[in-house]
């Protein structure tokens, strides 16, 4: 689908079925569309691809009835599904390589087109941290930026509160009807009425631990830069900062007391080259040159939905087995796998796709893959 073109209702249903099917993630989704030309053809091919990859049982393909039920539930909650490449899809998020094919949005779609800054930090934040987060969020909103955060306790909640008047975006780790934490339900409803709420997860999905890093990549994908207010050395906020760097975003950190463990991670970011922030002016000064002084300026040309990767069915099982034999639990670069296997790149990519749909492949950042054992 070319950027700027809207899906038909039937296409949206097929897209939802495909992304909700077993072992289909954002990268796999795009590879399947590239190989088969559309979601419906990809859905028809899933069982055979998974079998060829060594699946021990039939792959679970989301049915038409299941997808229609989710769409109906979403509508009852005021949620619309926006597809990658459509005009309402956030242009900054569209540029990352694992952008969600579909996002559920409740609230203001126009806010997703506005230049944005993420604010994240500790759940058990200090009073000073909470006051600073609320203040800088308010000032960034007044400067024309939407403020993005994850609705968590502590710094996230303060950032949303500070930016309610100008526009805030909450990114959920669970379904739109399963907000977390429960005590932020009233805040969430206020954000839905005055800002926007975004999730890639199915309706009814209760968030698990591994869903929060997935949410964090959306936060960093939506923004020009991320401000870390308080963060311990092992915290989700640092995951967001790392993903921001991978996405080419600016990373800002607020200095904290060396005696406070809640500031160890953010202080480490400063040692590693993050921009020191003591107020919104520091963030605006760093980001304004990217916008040419005009917030309505688009970020980048939206990337097309398809990937420029050819796919070709392995000639025989020996070719597939030879490629699979080179894989193990230690991640390896796909380019190295192509070189060592001697197979055509198109054949290697197709074999990896089959293994992934069979639940046997772990794709990691940096174009590396490992065999699940």
């Amino acid at each position: 689908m070319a950027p700027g073109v809207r899906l038909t209702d039937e296409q949206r249903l097929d897209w939802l079925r495909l992304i909700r099917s077993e072992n289909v993630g954002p990268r796999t989704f795009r590879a399947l569309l590239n190989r088969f030309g559309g979601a419906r053809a990809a859905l028809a091919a899933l069982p055979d691809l998974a079998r060829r990859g060594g699946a021990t049982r039939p792959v679970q393909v989301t049915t038409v009835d299941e997808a229609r039920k989710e769409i109906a539930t979403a509508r009852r909650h005021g949620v619309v599904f926006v597809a990658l490449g459509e005009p309402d899809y956030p242009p900054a998020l569209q540029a990352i390589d694992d952008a969600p094919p579909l996002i559920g949005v409740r609230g203001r779609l126009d806010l997703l087109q506005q230049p944005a800054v993420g604010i994240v930090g500790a759940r058990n934040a200090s009073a000073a941290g909470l006051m600073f987060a609320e203040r800088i969020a308010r000032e960034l909103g007044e400067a024309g930026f939407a403020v993005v955060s994850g609705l968590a306790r502590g710094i996230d909640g303060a950032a949303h509160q500070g930016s309610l008047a100008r526009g805030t975006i909450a990114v959920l780790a669970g379904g739109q009807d399963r907000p977390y934490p429960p005590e932020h339900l009233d805040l969430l409803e206020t954000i839905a009425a005055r800002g926007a709420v975004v999730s890639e997860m199915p309706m009814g999905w209760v968030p698990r631990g591994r869903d929060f890093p997935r949410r964090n990549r959306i936060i960093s994908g939506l923004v020009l830069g991320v401000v870390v207010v308080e963060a311990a050395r092992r915290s989700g906020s640092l995951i967001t900062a790392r993903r921001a760097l991978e996405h080419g975003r600016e990373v800002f950190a607020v200095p904290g007391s060396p005696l406070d463990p809640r500031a160890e991670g953010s202080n480490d970011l400063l040692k590693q080259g993050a921009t020191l922030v003591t107020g919104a002016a520091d963030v605006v000064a760093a980001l304004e040159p990217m916008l040419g002084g005009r917030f309505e300026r688009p970020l980048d040309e939206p990337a097309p939905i398809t990937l420029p990767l050819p796919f070709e069915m392995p000639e025989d099982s020996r070719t597939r087995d030879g490629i699979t034999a080179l894989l193990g639990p230690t991640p390896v670069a796909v380019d190295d796998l192509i070189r060592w296997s001697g197979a055509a790149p198109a054949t290697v990519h197709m074999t990896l796709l089959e293994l992934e749909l069979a639940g046997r492949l772990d794709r990691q950042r940096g174009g590396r893959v490992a065999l699940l054992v």
Side-chain angles (χ1 to χ4, degrees), residues 331-356:
V332 61
V334 174
D335 288 344
D336 289 335
L337 188 63
I338 293 170
R339 178 165 56 89
W340 292 329
S341 69
T347 302
V348 173
H349 285 299
M350 195 66 211
T351 300
L352 295 177
L353 181 60
E354 292 170 353
L355 290 170
E356 189 169 16

Side-chain angles (χ1 to χ4, degrees), residues 33 37 41 65 71 75 102 107 128 131 134 142 180 213 224 235 250 263 268 275 343:
L33 256 63
D65 286 344
I71 290 174
R75 284 175 178 163
L102 284 172
M131 288 188 293
E134 187 171 6
E142 292 169 351
Y180 182 88
L224 293 171
S235 70
E250 294 292 318
D268 283 347
T275 301

Side-chain angles (χ1 to χ4, degrees), residues 23 25-29 31-32 98 307 309 311 331-332 334 337 348-357 360-372:
N23 297 328
R27 291 187 180 91
T28 310
F29 182 99
L32 286 165
D98 55 352
L307 293 177
L309 297 176
F311 288 83
V332 61
V334 174
L337 188 63
V348 173
H349 285 299
M350 195 66 211
T351 300
L352 295 177
L353 181 60
E354 292 170 353
L355 290 170
E356 189 169 16
L357 290 171
R360 300 177 60 198
L361 190 76
D362 178 25
R363 287 192 186 269
Q364 302 186 8
R365 293 191 294 274
R368 294 157 65 83
V369 293
L371 197 65
L372 295 173

Side-chain angles (χ1 to χ4, degrees), residues 2 9 14 18 41-42 62-63 67 79 118 149 158 160 170 173 184-185 193 205 234 244 251 307-308 347 362 368:
D9 290 344
D14 291 338
L18 184 58
T62 301
T63 67
V79 176
S149 200
H160 288 307
H184 279 176
L185 180 58
W205 188 269
R234 299 175 65 86
V251 175
L307 293 177
T347 302
D362 178 25
R368 294 157 65 83

Side-chain angles (χ1 to χ4, degrees), residues 112-126:
L112 303 181
Q113 306 300 313
Q114 189 171 323
V117 176
I119 299 178
V120 296
R123 287 176 169 82
N124 62 332
S126 68

Side-chain angles (χ1 to χ4, degrees), residues 168-207:
T168 191
I169 301 170
V171 184
L172 306 183
Q176 289 269 10
D177 54 344
R178 291 291 185 269
Y180 182 88
E183 60 263 35
H184 279 176
L185 180 58
D186 289 344
L187 175 59
L188 178 66
E189 293 303 316
T190 304
I191 294 172
R194 303 173 66 179
V197 183
V198 174
S199 176
E200 68 173 326
M201 304 306 288
M203 299 296 293
W205 188 269
V206 178

Side-chain angles (χ1 to χ4, degrees), residues 11-31:
Q11 287 174 323
R12 201 176 309 276
L13 185 72
D14 291 338
W15 275 45
L16 185 61
R17 289 184 62 204
L18 184 58
I19 192 57
R20 297 291 189 248
S21 293
E22 187 178 18
N23 297 328
V24 178
R27 291 187 180 91
T28 310
F29 182 99
R30 294 177 71 163

Side-chain angles (χ1 to χ4, degrees), residues 251 268-276:
V251 175
D268 283 347
L269 286 175
L270 292 170
K271 294 177 185 177
Q272 296 163 20
T275 301
L276 188 148

